[in-house]
Amino acid sequence: MSTQATGSYKRRELIANSAIRVIARDGVRALTHRVVDIEAGIPKGATSHHARTRLALLELIVNTLAERAITDAKKAASILNATAQGEHKLSISELAGVITGLVETLSDRRDDMKARYALVLELGDEPLLRRKLTTQSEVHAIAREVTAMLLDRADLPCSNERVEELIALTDALVFQRTIIQENTSPESILTAYLRGVASLAGDLTRES
């Protein structure tokens, strides 16, 4: 990558990060090119140079959030794939601990998560962008793969229904910690859910 291209990439990254902070703090409707210039500490008009329209600016933000989420999901999948062979089966408490760690990691990136939730609400008129942050995104497909692998490692049912339930519960717990900021333990909630899944699976086995 040339020096000029590297500089352009870093400027776009600075603009995206600054815009995410603006949305997280003040909401999507506060987002303007001038506000991002000020937030980033860059010359007036610099944001417009890299994203000429509001839609282009939103696209830059959404792509940045989506790329980070995809990187995280692929990293998790890679770690699980590397340790799958020969590893002991996960207990319910271990699985709850693994997912709790993910919840805490995501909720620590508070600005990213707050911006994501705000954009999901505001991008109703831009379905292609909204899709990158919801269940039709690449990151959701990877999350499904990782979740199914985790459930299987714990000898729990990994049907589409159970996978989607656990993803929805995890997302709800991240939302609670990011937006509501309550101190309810994700691990206790996840443990109760997973025990319920195990119990239901046992009941169905006995009935068959």
Side-chain angles (χ1 to χ4, degrees):
M1 185 180 289
S2 68
T3 302
Q4 183 177 0
T6 300
S8 179
Y9 173 81
K10 288 183 177 179
R11 178 57 63 88
R12 287 173 65 85
E13 186 176 36
L14 173 62
I15 289 169
N17 288 335
S18 300
I20 287 168
R21 287 197 302 272
V22 169
I23 294 174
R25 184 181 63 237
D26 303 320
V28 179
R29 295 181 186 183
L31 183 72
T32 67
H33 289 76
R34 180 59 180 149
V35 166
V36 175
D37 287 340
I38 295 170
E39 181 72 23
I42 55 181
K44 182 179 179 180
T47 297
S48 295
H49 175 73
H50 289 275
R52 293 194 176 278
T53 65
R54 180 177 173 80
L55 179 59
L57 181 56
L58 288 169
E59 186 174 5
L60 173 61
I61 297 164
V62 169
N63 285 340
T64 298
L65 292 172
E67 286 164 9
R68 287 176 185 170
I70 289 169
T71 297
D72 288 345
K74 285 183 176 179
K75 183 178 179 181
S78 177
I79 291 171
L80 282 170
N81 283 328
T83 60
Q85 298 299 324
E87 285 288 322
H88 71 281
K89 289 291 184 179
L90 291 172
S91 67
I92 284 178
S93 61
E94 287 173 328
L95 177 53
V98 169
I99 301 172
T100 295
L102 176 61
V103 170
E104 291 173 346
T105 297
L106 292 174
S107 58
D108 283 345
R109 287 166 45 185
R110 191 172 301 277
D111 283 354
D112 278 17
M113 300 311 299
K114 288 177 73 173
R116 177 196 165 212
Y117 296 134
L119 287 164
V120 167
L121 290 173
E122 291 287 342
L123 289 177
D125 295 333
E126 300 295 339
L128 293 180
L129 286 181
R130 191 174 186 274
R131 214 169 281 156
K132 292 184 179 183
L133 301 175
T134 58
T135 56
Q136 298 179 56
S137 65
E138 181 181 352
V139 68
H140 186 76
I142 299 170
R144 284 179 51 83
E145 176 186 339
V146 173
T147 302
M149 192 183 303
L150 285 170
L151 288 169
D152 182 62
R153 289 274 301 279
D155 277 335
L156 292 173
C158 51
S159 64
N160 289 337
E161 181 181 9
R162 292 291 172 255
V163 167
E164 291 293 349
E165 282 179 358
L166 187 50
I167 290 174
L169 177 57
T170 302
D171 201 29
L173 290 169
V174 174
F175 180 88
Q176 182 186 48
R177 290 175 72 88
T178 304
I179 306 300
I180 303 174
Q181 299 184 31
E182 290 187 0
N183 293 322
T184 304
S185 168
E187 192 161 2
S188 63
I189 294 171
L190 287 160
T191 299
Y193 167 76
L194 294 169
R195 284 176 177 166
V197 170
S199 177
L200 179 60
D203 290 342
L204 291 176
T205 301
R206 286 190 291 273
E207 290 174 4
S208 59

PDB file of all heavy atoms in Angstrom, residues 133-161:
ATOM      1  N   LEU A 133     -26.086  -4.948   9.630  1.00  0.00           N
ATOM      2  CA  LEU A 133     -26.026  -4.883  11.087  1.00  0.00           C
ATOM      3  C   LEU A 133     -27.032  -5.807  11.759  1.00  0.00           C
ATOM      4  O   LEU A 133     -27.151  -5.814  12.983  1.00  0.00           O
ATOM      5  CB  LEU A 133     -26.293  -3.441  11.552  1.00  0.00           C
ATOM      6  CG  LEU A 133     -25.330  -2.372  11.036  1.00  0.00           C
ATOM      7  CD1 LEU A 133     -25.799  -0.995  11.470  1.00  0.00           C
ATOM      8  CD2 LEU A 133     -23.909  -2.630  11.528  1.00  0.00           C
ATOM      9  N   THR A 134     -27.768  -6.587  10.962  1.00  0.00           N
ATOM     10  CA  THR A 134     -28.836  -7.411  11.523  1.00  0.00           C
ATOM     11  C   THR A 134     -28.658  -8.874  11.133  1.00  0.00           C
ATOM     12  O   THR A 134     -27.569  -9.306  10.761  1.00  0.00           O
ATOM     13  CB  THR A 134     -30.211  -6.891  11.056  1.00  0.00           C
ATOM     14  OG1 THR A 134     -30.261  -6.909   9.610  1.00  0.00           O
ATOM     15  CG2 THR A 134     -30.452  -5.463  11.527  1.00  0.00           C
ATOM     16  N   THR A 135     -29.758  -9.622  11.217  1.00  0.00           N
ATOM     17  CA  THR A 135     -29.689 -11.073  11.033  1.00  0.00           C
ATOM     18  C   THR A 135     -29.420 -11.509   9.593  1.00  0.00           C
ATOM     19  O   THR A 135     -29.213 -12.691   9.349  1.00  0.00           O
ATOM     20  CB  THR A 135     -31.005 -11.731  11.493  1.00  0.00           C
ATOM     21  OG1 THR A 135     -32.101 -11.141  10.785  1.00  0.00           O
ATOM     22  CG2 THR A 135     -31.214 -11.534  12.984  1.00  0.00           C
ATOM     23  N   GLN A 136     -29.415 -10.568   8.646  1.00  0.00           N
ATOM     24  CA  GLN A 136     -29.131 -10.933   7.267  1.00  0.00           C
ATOM     25  C   GLN A 136     -27.680 -10.632   6.887  1.00  0.00           C
ATOM     26  O   GLN A 136     -27.338 -10.637   5.711  1.00  0.00           O
ATOM     27  CB  GLN A 136     -30.087 -10.180   6.336  1.00  0.00           C
ATOM     28  CG  GLN A 136     -31.549 -10.520   6.568  1.00  0.00           C
ATOM     29  CD  GLN A 136     -32.475  -9.752   5.650  1.00  0.00           C
ATOM     30  OE1 GLN A 136     -32.343  -9.794   4.431  1.00  0.00           O
ATOM     31  NE2 GLN A 136     -33.415  -9.029   6.216  1.00  0.00           N
ATOM     32  N   SER A 137     -26.846 -10.383   7.878  1.00  0.00           N
ATOM     33  CA  SER A 137     -25.470  -9.982   7.616  1.00  0.00           C
ATOM     34  C   SER A 137     -24.532 -11.182   7.586  1.00  0.00           C
ATOM     35  O   SER A 137     -24.848 -12.273   8.064  1.00  0.00           O
ATOM     36  CB  SER A 137     -25.005  -9.010   8.698  1.00  0.00           C
ATOM     37  OG  SER A 137     -24.968  -9.671   9.952  1.00  0.00           O
ATOM     38  N   GLU A 138     -23.331 -10.935   7.067  1.00  0.00           N
ATOM     39  CA  GLU A 138     -22.291 -11.972   7.065  1.00  0.00           C
ATOM     40  C   GLU A 138     -21.902 -12.345   8.489  1.00  0.00           C
ATOM     41  O   GLU A 138     -21.668 -13.515   8.797  1.00  0.00           O
ATOM     42  CB  GLU A 138     -21.058 -11.480   6.305  1.00  0.00           C
ATOM     43  CG  GLU A 138     -19.936 -12.497   6.230  1.00  0.00           C
ATOM     44  CD  GLU A 138     -18.713 -11.987   5.503  1.00  0.00           C
ATOM     45  OE1 GLU A 138     -18.768 -10.890   4.923  1.00  0.00           O
ATOM     46  OE2 GLU A 138     -17.686 -12.700   5.523  1.00  0.00           O
ATOM     47  N   VAL A 139     -21.842 -11.347   9.363  1.00  0.00           N
ATOM     48  CA  VAL A 139     -21.447 -11.630  10.744  1.00  0.00           C
ATOM     49  C   VAL A 139     -22.467 -12.528  11.430  1.00  0.00           C
ATOM     50  O   VAL A 139     -22.104 -13.378  12.254  1.00  0.00           O
ATOM     51  CB  VAL A 139     -21.251 -10.319  11.548  1.00  0.00           C
ATOM     52  CG1 VAL A 139     -22.554  -9.590  11.777  1.00  0.00           C
ATOM     53  CG2 VAL A 139     -20.574 -10.621  12.880  1.00  0.00           C
ATOM     54  N   HIS A 140     -23.746 -12.395  11.072  1.00  0.00           N
ATOM     55  CA  HIS A 140     -24.753 -13.267  11.676  1.00  0.00           C
ATOM     56  C   HIS A 140     -24.549 -14.704  11.216  1.00  0.00           C
ATOM     57  O   HIS A 140     -24.710 -15.644  12.005  1.00  0.00           O
ATOM     58  CB  HIS A 140     -26.162 -12.792  11.322  1.00  0.00           C
ATOM     59  CG  HIS A 140     -27.238 -13.549  12.032  1.00  0.00           C
ATOM     60  ND1 HIS A 140     -27.540 -13.343  13.353  1.00  0.00           N
ATOM     61  CD2 HIS A 140     -28.070 -14.544  11.613  1.00  0.00           C
ATOM     62  CE1 HIS A 140     -28.520 -14.151  13.720  1.00  0.00           C
ATOM     63  NE2 HIS A 140     -28.854 -14.895  12.685  1.00  0.00           N
ATOM     64  N   ALA A 141     -24.188 -14.874   9.953  1.00  0.00           N
ATOM     65  CA  ALA A 141     -23.937 -16.227   9.438  1.00  0.00           C
ATOM     66  C   ALA A 141     -22.770 -16.874  10.182  1.00  0.00           C
ATOM     67  O   ALA A 141     -22.813 -18.060  10.534  1.00  0.00           O
ATOM     68  CB  ALA A 141     -23.646 -16.164   7.940  1.00  0.00           C
ATOM     69  N   ILE A 142     -21.722 -16.091  10.446  1.00  0.00           N
ATOM     70  CA  ILE A 142     -20.577 -16.618  11.183  1.00  0.00           C
ATOM     71  C   ILE A 142     -20.969 -16.908  12.631  1.00  0.00           C
ATOM     72  O   ILE A 142     -20.570 -17.919  13.222  1.00  0.00           O
ATOM     73  CB  ILE A 142     -19.396 -15.629  11.131  1.00  0.00           C
ATOM     74  CG1 ILE A 142     -18.963 -15.408   9.680  1.00  0.00           C
ATOM     75  CG2 ILE A 142     -18.214 -16.152  11.957  1.00  0.00           C
ATOM     76  CD1 ILE A 142     -17.979 -14.277   9.499  1.00  0.00           C
ATOM     77  N   ALA A 143     -21.773 -15.998  13.227  1.00  0.00           N
ATOM     78  CA  ALA A 143     -22.234 -16.205  14.603  1.00  0.00           C
ATOM     79  C   ALA A 143     -23.047 -17.487  14.722  1.00  0.00           C
ATOM     80  O   ALA A 143     -22.941 -18.212  15.718  1.00  0.00           O
ATOM     81  CB  ALA A 143     -23.070 -15.008  15.055  1.00  0.00           C
ATOM     82  N   ARG A 144     -23.838 -17.792  13.704  1.00  0.00           N
ATOM     83  CA  ARG A 144     -24.612 -19.034  13.706  1.00  0.00           C
ATOM     84  C   ARG A 144     -23.672 -20.245  13.718  1.00  0.00           C
ATOM     85  O   ARG A 144     -23.896 -21.207  14.457  1.00  0.00           O
ATOM     86  CB  ARG A 144     -25.516 -19.093  12.469  1.00  0.00           C
ATOM     87  CG  ARG A 144     -26.753 -18.211  12.545  1.00  0.00           C
ATOM     88  CD  ARG A 144     -27.567 -18.325  11.247  1.00  0.00           C
ATOM     89  NE  ARG A 144     -27.813 -19.712  10.922  1.00  0.00           N
ATOM     90  CZ  ARG A 144     -28.796 -20.449  11.436  1.00  0.00           C
ATOM     91  NH1 ARG A 144     -29.630 -19.917  12.291  1.00  0.00           N
ATOM     92  NH2 ARG A 144     -28.945 -21.705  11.085  1.00  0.00           N
ATOM     93  N   GLU A 145     -22.622 -20.174  12.922  1.00  0.00           N
ATOM     94  CA  GLU A 145     -21.657 -21.274  12.846  1.00  0.00           C
ATOM     95  C   GLU A 145     -20.975 -21.490  14.199  1.00  0.00           C
ATOM     96  O   GLU A 145     -20.856 -22.624  14.674  1.00  0.00           O
ATOM     97  CB  GLU A 145     -20.617 -20.950  11.773  1.00  0.00           C
ATOM     98  CG  GLU A 145     -19.495 -21.964  11.657  1.00  0.00           C
ATOM     99  CD  GLU A 145     -18.418 -21.524  10.679  1.00  0.00           C
ATOM    100  OE1 GLU A 145     -18.696 -20.678   9.813  1.00  0.00           O
ATOM    101  OE2 GLU A 145     -17.284 -22.032  10.798  1.00  0.00           O
ATOM    102  N   VAL A 146     -20.530 -20.391  14.822  1.00  0.00           N
ATOM    103  CA  VAL A 146     -19.836 -20.481  16.105  1.00  0.00           C
ATOM    104  C   VAL A 146     -20.780 -20.985  17.196  1.00  0.00           C
ATOM    105  O   VAL A 146     -20.413 -21.839  18.022  1.00  0.00           O
ATOM    106  CB  VAL A 146     -19.256 -19.108  16.495  1.00  0.00           C
ATOM    107  CG1 VAL A 146     -18.687 -19.141  17.910  1.00  0.00           C
ATOM    108  CG2 VAL A 146     -18.177 -18.681  15.502  1.00  0.00           C
ATOM    109  N   THR A 147     -22.014 -20.468  17.207  1.00  0.00           N
ATOM    110  CA  THR A 147     -22.990 -20.857  18.230  1.00  0.00           C
ATOM    111  C   THR A 147     -23.341 -22.339  18.113  1.00  0.00           C
ATOM    112  O   THR A 147     -23.424 -23.052  19.125  1.00  0.00           O
ATOM    113  CB  THR A 147     -24.262 -20.011  18.108  1.00  0.00           C
ATOM    114  OG1 THR A 147     -23.909 -18.626  18.238  1.00  0.00           O
ATOM    115  CG2 THR A 147     -25.269 -20.368  19.185  1.00  0.00           C
ATOM    116  N   ALA A 148     -23.538 -22.809  16.893  1.00  0.00           N
ATOM    117  CA  ALA A 148     -23.838 -24.229  16.688  1.00  0.00           C
ATOM    118  C   ALA A 148     -22.684 -25.092  17.174  1.00  0.00           C
ATOM    119  O   ALA A 148     -22.884 -26.148  17.788  1.00  0.00           O
ATOM    120  CB  ALA A 148     -24.114 -24.490  15.210  1.00  0.00           C
ATOM    121  N   MET A 149     -21.451 -24.637  16.934  1.00  0.00           N
ATOM    122  CA  MET A 149     -20.274 -25.379  17.375  1.00  0.00           C
ATOM    123  C   MET A 149     -20.214 -25.447  18.899  1.00  0.00           C
ATOM    124  O   MET A 149     -19.917 -26.499  19.488  1.00  0.00           O
ATOM    125  CB  MET A 149     -19.012 -24.705  16.822  1.00  0.00           C
ATOM    126  CG  MET A 149     -17.747 -25.517  16.971  1.00  0.00           C
ATOM    127  SD  MET A 149     -16.282 -24.614  16.373  1.00  0.00           S
ATOM    128  CE  MET A 149     -16.783 -24.262  14.692  1.00  0.00           C
ATOM    129  N   LEU A 150     -20.513 -24.328  19.551  1.00  0.00           N
ATOM    130  CA  LEU A 150     -20.490 -24.295  21.016  1.00  0.00           C
ATOM    131  C   LEU A 150     -21.542 -25.227  21.609  1.00  0.00           C
ATOM    132  O   LEU A 150     -21.265 -25.970  22.560  1.00  0.00           O
ATOM    133  CB  LEU A 150     -20.722 -22.861  21.509  1.00  0.00           C
ATOM    134  CG  LEU A 150     -19.551 -21.894  21.372  1.00  0.00           C
ATOM    135  CD1 LEU A 150     -20.000 -20.471  21.662  1.00  0.00           C
ATOM    136  CD2 LEU A 150     -18.407 -22.294  22.301  1.00  0.00           C
ATOM    137  N   LEU A 151     -22.749 -25.172  21.062  1.00  0.00           N
ATOM    138  CA  LEU A 151     -23.813 -26.039  21.564  1.00  0.00           C
ATOM    139  C   LEU A 151     -23.447 -27.513  21.380  1.00  0.00           C
ATOM    140  O   LEU A 151     -23.673 -28.343  22.267  1.00  0.00           O
ATOM    141  CB  LEU A 151     -25.133 -25.723  20.857  1.00  0.00           C
ATOM    142  CG  LEU A 151     -25.798 -24.402  21.242  1.00  0.00           C
ATOM    143  CD1 LEU A 151     -26.947 -24.082  20.293  1.00  0.00           C
ATOM    144  CD2 LEU A 151     -26.301 -24.453  22.683  1.00  0.00           C
ATOM    145  N   ASP A 152     -22.878 -27.824  20.235  1.00  0.00           N
ATOM    146  CA  ASP A 152     -22.476 -29.205  19.968  1.00  0.00           C
ATOM    147  C   ASP A 152     -21.387 -29.649  20.934  1.00  0.00           C
ATOM    148  O   ASP A 152     -21.401 -30.784  21.426  1.00  0.00           O
ATOM    149  CB  ASP A 152     -21.981 -29.322  18.528  1.00  0.00           C
ATOM    150  CG  ASP A 152     -21.593 -30.750  18.168  1.00  0.00           C
ATOM    151  OD1 ASP A 152     -22.476 -31.630  18.203  1.00  0.00           O
ATOM    152  OD2 ASP A 152     -20.411 -30.990  17.867  1.00  0.00           O
ATOM    153  N   ARG A 153     -20.432 -28.761  21.229  1.00  0.00           N
ATOM    154  CA  ARG A 153     -19.347 -29.083  22.169  1.00  0.00           C
ATOM    155  C   ARG A 153     -19.877 -29.346  23.576  1.00  0.00           C
ATOM    156  O   ARG A 153     -19.221 -30.002  24.384  1.00  0.00           O
ATOM    157  CB  ARG A 153     -18.341 -27.928  22.218  1.00  0.00           C
ATOM    158  CG  ARG A 153     -17.489 -27.763  20.979  1.00  0.00           C
ATOM    159  CD  ARG A 153     -16.259 -28.637  21.000  1.00  0.00           C
ATOM    160  NE  ARG A 153     -15.417 -28.363  22.149  1.00  0.00           N
ATOM    161  CZ  ARG A 153     -14.557 -27.353  22.234  1.00  0.00           C
ATOM    162  NH1 ARG A 153     -14.438 -26.504  21.227  1.00  0.00           N
ATOM    163  NH2 ARG A 153     -13.813 -27.212  23.317  1.00  0.00           N
ATOM    164  N   ALA A 154     -21.066 -28.796  23.870  1.00  0.00           N
ATOM    165  CA  ALA A 154     -21.668 -29.006  25.188  1.00  0.00           C
ATOM    166  C   ALA A 154     -22.714 -30.116  25.160  1.00  0.00           C
ATOM    167  O   ALA A 154     -23.460 -30.299  26.128  1.00  0.00           O
ATOM    168  CB  ALA A 154     -22.295 -27.707  25.683  1.00  0.00           C
ATOM    169  N   ASP A 155     -22.774 -30.858  24.042  1.00  0.00           N
ATOM    170  CA  ASP A 155     -23.756 -31.934  23.878  1.00  0.00           C
ATOM    171  C   ASP A 155     -25.188 -31.432  24.038  1.00  0.00           C
ATOM    172  O   ASP A 155     -26.060 -32.136  24.560  1.00  0.00           O
ATOM    173  CB  ASP A 155     -23.504 -33.073  24.881  1.00  0.00           C
ATOM    174  CG  ASP A 155     -22.442 -34.036  24.382  1.00  0.00           C
ATOM    175  OD1 ASP A 155     -22.251 -34.115  23.145  1.00  0.00           O
ATOM    176  OD2 ASP A 155     -21.807 -34.701  25.210  1.00  0.00           O
ATOM    177  N   LEU A 156     -25.426 -30.218  23.545  1.00  0.00           N
ATOM    178  CA  LEU A 156     -26.770 -29.643  23.559  1.00  0.00           C
ATOM    179  C   LEU A 156     -27.299 -29.580  22.133  1.00  0.00           C
ATOM    180  O   LEU A 156     -26.516 -29.514  21.177  1.00  0.00           O
ATOM    181  CB  LEU A 156     -26.738 -28.240  24.173  1.00  0.00           C
ATOM    182  CG  LEU A 156     -26.413 -28.162  25.671  1.00  0.00           C
ATOM    183  CD1 LEU A 156     -26.241 -26.709  26.093  1.00  0.00           C
ATOM    184  CD2 LEU A 156     -27.497 -28.837  26.494  1.00  0.00           C
ATOM    185  N   PRO A 157     -28.625 -29.587  21.961  1.00  0.00           N
ATOM    186  CA  PRO A 157     -29.197 -29.504  20.619  1.00  0.00           C
ATOM    187  C   PRO A 157     -28.712 -28.249  19.893  1.00  0.00           C
ATOM    188  O   PRO A 157     -28.665 -27.162  20.487  1.00  0.00           O
ATOM    189  CB  PRO A 157     -30.706 -29.439  20.877  1.00  0.00           C
ATOM    190  CG  PRO A 157     -30.884 -30.046  22.232  1.00  0.00           C
ATOM    191  CD  PRO A 157     -29.655 -29.699  23.012  1.00  0.00           C
ATOM    192  N   CYS A 158     -28.315 -28.393  18.636  1.00  0.00           N
ATOM    193  CA  CYS A 158     -27.824 -27.243  17.875  1.00  0.00           C
ATOM    194  C   CYS A 158     -28.677 -27.036  16.625  1.00  0.00           C
ATOM    195  O   CYS A 158     -28.164 -26.742  15.546  1.00  0.00           O
ATOM    196  CB  CYS A 158     -26.351 -27.399  17.517  1.00  0.00           C
ATOM    197  SG  CYS A 158     -25.906 -28.958  16.737  1.00  0.00           S
ATOM    198  N   SER A 159     -29.988 -27.205  16.781  1.00  0.00           N
ATOM    199  CA  SER A 159     -30.913 -26.945  15.687  1.00  0.00           C
ATOM    200  C   SER A 159     -30.931 -25.451  15.377  1.00  0.00           C
ATOM    201  O   SER A 159     -30.466 -24.622  16.174  1.00  0.00           O
ATOM    202  CB  SER A 159     -32.325 -27.391  16.071  1.00  0.00           C
ATOM    203  OG  SER A 159     -32.794 -26.618  17.165  1.00  0.00           O
ATOM    204  N   ASN A 160     -31.479 -25.077  14.221  1.00  0.00           N
ATOM    205  CA  ASN A 160     -31.585 -23.670  13.851  1.00  0.00           C
ATOM    206  C   ASN A 160     -32.316 -22.869  14.918  1.00  0.00           C
ATOM    207  O   ASN A 160     -31.930 -21.743  15.240  1.00  0.00           O
ATOM    208  CB  ASN A 160     -32.308 -23.525  12.509  1.00  0.00           C
ATOM    209  CG  ASN A 160     -31.466 -23.990  11.340  1.00  0.00           C
ATOM    210  OD1 ASN A 160     -30.233 -24.030  11.443  1.00  0.00           O
ATOM    211  ND2 ASN A 160     -32.103 -24.341  10.243  1.00  0.00           N
ATOM    212  N   GLU A 161     -33.369 -23.479  15.480  1.00  0.00           N
ATOM    213  CA  GLU A 161     -34.168 -22.788  16.491  1.00  0.00           C
ATOM    214  C   GLU A 161     -33.326 -22.470  17.724  1.00  0.00           C
ATOM    215  O   GLU A 161     -33.350 -21.348  18.244  1.00  0.00           O
ATOM    216  CB  GLU A 161     -35.373 -23.642  16.885  1.00  0.00           C
ATOM    217  CG  GLU A 161     -36.276 -22.984  17.924  1.00  0.00           C
ATOM    218  CD  GLU A 161     -37.447 -23.870  18.314  1.00  0.00           C
ATOM    219  OE1 GLU A 161     -37.472 -25.061  17.914  1.00  0.00           O
ATOM    220  OE2 GLU A 161     -38.328 -23.376  19.033  1.00  0.00           O
TER     221      GLU A 161
END
